Amino acid sequence: MALHIHEAWILLFVLPALVTPAAISHEDYPADEGDQTSSNDNLIFDDYRGKGCVDDSGFVYKLGERFFPGHSNCPCVCTEDGPVCDQPECPKIHPKCTKVEHNGCCPECKEVKNFCEYHGKNYKILEEFKPSPCEWCRCEPSNEVHCVVADCAVPECVNPVYEPEQCCPVCKNGPNCFAGTTIIPAGIEVKVDDCNICHCHNGDWWKPAQCSKRECQGKQAL
């Protein structure tokens, strides 16, 4: 009985040695995903040089055939040396263009600015506006703002005032001028002291008044 047990132990040690790598079939044990990927590295792809041209999506074109390599490319002709593409003179993009699309051979403007910008504000085409009491402006079709500034006449007084929402100064008390340091109205003679009578120059209100001395009416000495 002991002899049979001893022989069984010998068989257990000998059997693994008899199983060699050559005895394991690869058909019985398919390669895992990593092995399959590495085996694909040896694939040979077709060489289309001198036979055709390939676009961005992998489509093959024959020699002499006209095609677009990509959605935003110019048309090309397939030659033995590769694609020969058109190089057209594209129209210039409008400087006011705010939206440009590149879906063809040439870029295309899809939206042009239809307003004017002036001092941080937007105005519609042909819109008129007054940014200040002295300015009158309009938004031109060229998206440029043209303004006219009011030309104020010389005021006819020495103390003009600026009223709200008015561009030019106004003489609230009418024409006047200076007689020394005193302001006198124009159009009449004014006795400025006991000895002098003055009047303003006609039309030249900024000039000092013309004065003439008269007999002084001061108090007589006692």
Side-chain angles (χ1 to χ4, degrees):
M1 184 68 180
L3 178 61
H4 292 294
I5 295 173
H6 180 70
E7 291 174 352
W9 276 105
I10 292 174
L11 288 174
L12 289 174
F13 282 106
V14 172
L15 284 175
L18 295 177
V19 180
T20 63
I24 301 175
S25 174
H26 287 284
E27 295 179 356
D28 298 332
Y29 299 93
D32 58 17
E33 186 177 350
D35 295 337
Q36 290 178 353
T37 303
S38 62
S39 64
N40 290 336
D41 294 341
N42 297 323
L43 292 177
I44 299 176
F45 294 95
D46 292 335
D47 186 358
Y48 293 102
R49 288 177 295 180
K51 303 176 185 177
C53 302
V54 184
D55 64 6
D56 291 349
S57 61
F59 193 86
V60 180
Y61 294 87
K62 298 178 182 179
L63 294 178
E65 193 170 358
R66 193 174 179 84
F67 70 103
F68 288 86
H71 74 282
S72 62
N73 296 96
C74 294
C76 304
V77 176
C78 182
T79 69
E80 292 185 354
D81 298 325
V84 177
C85 303
D86 295 343
Q87 297 295 329
E89 185 176 350
C90 296
K92 294 182 179 180
I93 299 295
H94 195 284
K96 301 293 184 179
C97 185
T98 56
K99 183 179 180 181
V100 180
E101 287 188 358
H102 299 272
N103 292 327
C105 182
C106 293
E108 185 178 357
C109 180
K110 290 296 183 180
E111 185 176 334
V112 178
K113 187 173 74 172
N114 58 352
F115 60 90
C116 300
E117 275 186 73
Y118 191 77
H119 292 176
K121 293 184 179 181
N122 295 339
Y123 300 93
K124 297 178 182 179
I125 300 297
L126 300 181
E127 182 179 357
E128 298 178 357
F129 57 97
K130 293 186 68 176
S132 71
C134 293
E135 289 179 287
W136 176 85
C137 302
R138 186 173 75 168
C139 175
E140 301 294 342
S142 61
N143 302 110
E144 297 179 350
V145 174
H146 290 173
C147 296
V148 176
V149 179
D151 186 13
C152 297
V154 178
E156 297 181 347
C157 59
V158 294
N159 57 348
V161 295
Y162 286 87
E163 294 287 351
E165 302 303 322
Q166 289 189 0
C167 175
C168 298
V170 295
C171 297
K172 296 190 70 174
N173 299 318
N176 56 38
C177 66
F178 276 113
T181 58
T182 304
I183 298 177
I184 62 173
I188 59 174
E189 291 186 342
V190 178
K191 187 177 181 181
V192 295
D193 55 34
D194 292 337
C195 300
N196 294 294
I197 296 178
C198 304
H199 68 274
C200 296
H201 292 272
N202 290 328
D204 296 334
W205 317 113
W206 61 91
K207 293 182 178 180
Q210 289 180 325
C211 298
S212 59
K213 287 189 177 183
R214 300 290 177 88
E215 182 178 351
C216 295
Q217 298 180 357
K219 293 181 180 181
Q220 297 179 356
L222 295 177

